[in-house]
Amino acid sequence: MNHLQHYLTKLAEEGSEVAQIALKTQQFGPGEVMPGQPLNNFERCHLELDDLWAMVEELNEKFGFGYAPNRERMEAKKAKVRKYLGFSIHLGMVEGETDVCEHPMALPANTGDQGRR
């Protein structure tokens, strides 16, 4: 394994740790403090995000990874998540009200089966 591979492994590990604490926060709530742990779950999420970002910075600095946040892509992702949230609410899988009534990937009614495989 070379140094780049090592840092990519660490990036993946940190991403997994972000996922793990996010799931624990979902299950136990943001304010819950695990016995023996001084921080609540939101604070622990912040620590894991810092660790992930540290690996991104290392990749940028040592290997020319070239990552910089892209506001346009981030806003597009947020809009996509909101769209699918509406559909999940429509299906009854998430609490709330929505005006969404069809799958976000549904073709417009006037196109028929064009473009489908």
Side-chain angles (χ1 to χ4, degrees):
M1 176 181 291
N2 63 35
H3 287 212
L4 174 58
Q5 291 168 328
H6 176 77
Y7 279 97
L8 290 170
T9 298
K10 294 300 168 187
L11 179 69
E13 287 177 3
E14 296 303 339
S16 294
E17 290 175 16
V18 168
Q20 181 182 29
I21 190 59
L23 291 168
K24 286 183 178 182
T25 302
Q26 173 189 337
Q27 183 176 4
F28 301 116
E32 186 262 344
V33 177
M34 187 173 86
Q37 176 68 239
L39 304 173
N40 69 39
N41 288 332
F42 265 0
E43 293 165 332
R44 291 175 65 202
C45 283
H46 299 167
L47 292 179
E48 295 302 342
L49 287 166
D50 286 343
D51 290 351
L52 178 65
W53 187 248
M55 292 304 96
V56 170
E57 285 187 353
E58 285 286 271
L59 286 164
N60 280 347
E61 293 165 7
K62 295 181 183 305
F63 304 100
F65 186 57
Y67 176 77
N70 180 299
R71 179 54 49 195
E72 186 176 324
R73 285 192 308 247
M74 292 167 64
E75 292 302 324
K77 179 62 176 184
K78 290 170 16 179
K80 183 177 180 179
V81 168
R82 285 190 299 269
K83 179 170 61 171
Y84 278 91
L85 171 61
F87 187 58
S88 293
I89 292 169
H90 169 72
L91 293 174
M93 300 305 295
V94 176
E95 297 173 352
E97 296 181 18
T98 184
D99 58 357
V100 173
C101 59
E102 65 179 23
H103 194 287
M105 296 297 290
L107 293 174
N110 63 353
T111 64
D113 286 331
Q114 291 177 333
R116 290 194 177 198
R117 293 181 182 214

